[in-house]
Amino acid sequence: MSDSAVRTDAELRGQVLRSIGDLLPRVLKRELAEVPENACLFDDLGLTSAGTLELILELEESLDIQVDVEEIGEDDLRSVASLADFVAGHVIADS
């Protein structure tokens, strides 16, 4: 992977993290204090499976990206950071 690809991925990951923080209150339908990267999506934040799907769809729309969710696994949904890593690493390139 080239240096520019690594920088782009890190930049995208940062955008994803900010967007997750912005979108979670809307998806969860309640106000949240600052959302730490290590917050567990299900245990700490109370996100549901349906909420996870809604969050990913909202992320795609807000960041104007498309995410390949075929590869998503339980570990990718453990925390805010793991979801950001997954999204940043599974964007479908425009062809």
Side-chain angles (χ1 to χ4, degrees):
M1 187 181 290
S2 70
D3 287 345
S4 63
V6 171
R7 277 195 299 275
T8 303
D9 288 351
E11 185 178 316
L12 177 58
R13 184 182 185 276
Q15 291 174 330
V16 171
L17 279 172
R18 285 188 295 279
S19 292
I20 289 172
D22 292 344
L23 295 169
L24 268 172
R26 184 174 10 169
V27 171
L28 294 171
K29 297 175 179 43
R30 63 183 166 91
E31 287 299 313
L32 292 174
E34 186 175 333
V35 179
E37 279 191 46
N38 65 346
C40 294
L41 292 170
F42 297 105
D43 296 339
D44 296 341
L45 301 173
L47 198 65
T48 62
S49 298
T52 304
L53 182 58
E54 182 180 348
L55 179 60
I56 292 171
L57 292 171
E58 293 273 356
L59 282 169
E60 287 180 326
E61 187 173 316
S62 71
L63 296 172
D64 195 26
I65 59 174
Q66 191 174 358
V67 179
D68 180 6
V69 292
E70 296 290 318
E71 301 288 321
I72 200 163
E74 191 176 325
D75 286 344
D76 300 314
L77 300 172
R78 288 205 190 282
S79 68
V80 171
S82 62
L83 179 60
D85 290 340
F86 176 83
V87 170
H90 289 81
V91 172
I92 298 172
D94 293 333
S95 40

